[in-house]
Amino acid sequence: MSVNSAALLLEGDAREVLHGLSTRPKKLPVRLFYDAAGSALFEQITELPEYYVTSTEQGIFERHALAMVAAAGGASTIVELGAGTAKKTMLVLRASLDLHRRHNNGSRHDVTFIPVDVSSFALGLANDRVRSELPQVAVHPLVMDYTHSFAPLSQLPGAKLILYIGSSIGNFEPMAASALLRRLRSSLNPGDSLLLGVDMRKPVDVLLRAYDDSEGVTARFNLNILTRINREFEADFDLSAFEHCVRWSERHSRIEMHLRSRVAQSVRVAALDLTVDFDEGETIHTENSYKFTPSMLEAVTFNAGFAIEQSWSDERNWFTVTLLRA
Ligand code: AVI
């Protein structure tokens, strides 16, 4: 059977892995990074001094969370897409509680938090953290793949504030980013708003260091995708025969992560009945991380039907949190 007809019989990850390893340049879907080991490595990345993304965005929330929540009209339901360890979210929830306390004399469960993720493990962590640190907040985790549908969000009562932070939108190509935001917008009601965190362009050496850190955590994060394919698709990738490789693409305004084959080699992926041949130096493209200019941000959000209401940034303008209205 040819690769193309075999691909028709497969679904989801299997189909994409087969397709990605059979095309040139080779590629793998970015979501495969986030198994338990990959998610733990990503948490380590967020603590690295070189990975300015998390600390810079955190600083913006520390300074402006109250202004953000007030500008969003004091929505009492806060939805977070992609539940992380919720550090920044805690700042928004605290600000929201503050605002409600001032207006409603602090009645219990004024604020509802809905973390949304495909991983129930990630949701469990977010749930535990919010419940133990902010017992006044009602938490209702929602297991959902928001890259496909936002339909359940339109059923939620009352005005909502959606958080899509951490520059996760930067891992989508601009057209796909607009399409995702457009789907999100169609599930919002009048009065709902979106806080979107995006990473901005900055000196290339800063970007390269952020994605190729001195401790090699990002390299391990990148290589972990091969460990996952070995486990889930019975492959025999030898991790020592690949190296982490980071490039800046000026044309696309994005950081690219690749895995470069150190030697000419063949890799067997038994579960897909596939043999993958690599030339020496050939790469698998594993991730794009777009870095925005103000006009890129405007285009991506405008194409999704959103209007930018207000933006907050750090003093270096390295990161922007934008409040969008449908
Ligand atoms: C999740 N995402 C926003 C991260 C980023 O910066 O693009 C993923 C990441 N990849 C390598 N380091 C961090």
Side-chain angles (χ1 to χ4, degrees):
M1 194 185 297
S2 72
V3 161
N4 282 345
S5 50
L8 291 175
L9 302 174
L10 296 169
E11 284 187 350
D13 291 348
R15 190 175 176 150
E16 278 194 66
V17 170
L18 177 63
H19 171 72
L21 293 179
S22 311
T23 51
R24 268 183 184 243
K26 295 177 171 58
K27 59 181 180 182
L28 285 170
V30 84
R31 66 171 182 280
L32 289 188
F33 280 135
Y34 299 96
D35 62 357
S39 302
L41 283 165
F42 178 64
E43 284 309 316
Q44 280 185 45
I45 289 175
T46 64
E47 310 272 323
L48 291 169
E50 292 107 320
Y51 192 71
Y52 62 84
V53 178
T54 311
S55 52
T56 308
E57 190 184 32
Q58 168 91 6
I60 298 173
F61 276 101
E62 273 161 14
R63 251 166 289 135
H64 302 293
L66 198 58
M68 290 171 182
V69 172
S76 56
T77 301
I78 310 231
V79 178
E80 181 170 15
L81 303 178
T85 50
K87 252 196 214 161
K88 288 164 274 187
T89 317
M90 297 303 284
L91 294 167
V92 177
L93 293 176
R94 280 206 180 89
S96 185
L97 280 173
D98 254 22
L99 207 70
H100 282 86
R101 215 170 280 133
R102 286 179 206 181
H103 291 146
N104 309 340
N105 300 323
S107 59
R108 211 172 149 74
H109 285 178
D110 281 334
V111 175
T112 300
F113 175 50
I114 306 184
V116 177
D117 208 289
V118 266
S119 150
S120 37
F121 177 74
L123 286 176
L125 292 179
N127 187 29
D128 294 349
R129 174 154 198 182
V130 177
R131 275 180 204 266
S132 72
E133 289 184 34
L134 292 174
Q136 321 83 300
V137 172
V139 191
H140 298 294
L142 185 59
V143 182
M144 178 177 105
D145 182 358
Y146 62 82
T147 59
H148 288 123
S149 164
F150 292 100
L153 297 188
S154 58
Q155 316 297 326
L156 298 172
K160 21 180 207 301
L161 169 61
I162 314 285
L163 305 181
Y164 194 31
I165 57 182
S167 202
S168 302
I169 194 71
N171 295 129
F172 294 88
E173 313 241 335
M175 297 260 278
S178 287
L180 178 95
L181 294 179
R182 201 174 315 119
R183 285 197 297 282
L184 171 60
R185 184 184 162 274
S186 66
S187 73
L188 299 184
N189 301 315
D192 291 349
S193 42
L194 166 65
L195 267 182
L196 182 70
V198 293
D199 196 19
M200 308 303 281
R201 275 179 76 123
K202 56 188 59 64
V204 174
D205 59 315
V206 175
L207 290 170
L208 292 174
R209 264 185 273 126
Y211 290 83
D212 196 4
D213 63 277
S214 52
E215 289 173 46
V217 182
T218 314
R220 291 202 288 285
F221 173 73
N222 198 5
L223 284 160
N224 178 61
I225 205 167
L226 301 184
T227 308
R228 179 168 185 178
I229 291 174
N230 281 349
R231 185 179 65 240
E232 293 186 8
F233 297 98
E234 298 163 46
D236 62 1
F237 279 101
D238 169 6
L239 269 61
S240 66
F242 288 86
E243 64 187 348
H244 173 59
C245 161
V246 176
R247 299 176 190 157
W248 166 250
S249 166
E250 180 66 30
R251 184 162 71 95
H252 296 102
S253 193
R254 71 187 187 198
I255 280 285
E256 296 178 1
M257 294 207 315
H258 299 257
L259 289 165
R260 187 194 286 126
S261 178
R262 295 180 193 269
V263 290
Q265 57 178 319
S266 290
V267 175
R268 183 75 191 143
V269 188
L272 301 176
D273 192 17
L274 176 73
T275 301
V276 191
D277 296 320
F278 288 88
D279 296 331
E280 181 185 341
E282 190 180 348
T283 65
I284 311 174
H285 189 168
T286 49
E287 185 181 61
N288 291 318
S289 193
Y290 282 84
K291 305 302 165 191
F292 290 75
T293 59
S295 60
M296 280 168 71
L297 175 57
E298 234 174 88
V300 164
T301 53
F302 178 81
N303 290 339
F306 279 107
I308 295 183
E309 191 156 297
Q310 204 174 335
S311 293
W312 296 267
S313 200
D314 55 293
E315 54 288 340
R316 294 181 290 197
N317 288 322
W318 277 12
F319 200 95
T320 300
V321 180
T322 294
L323 183 71
L324 301 164
R325 290 249 189 224

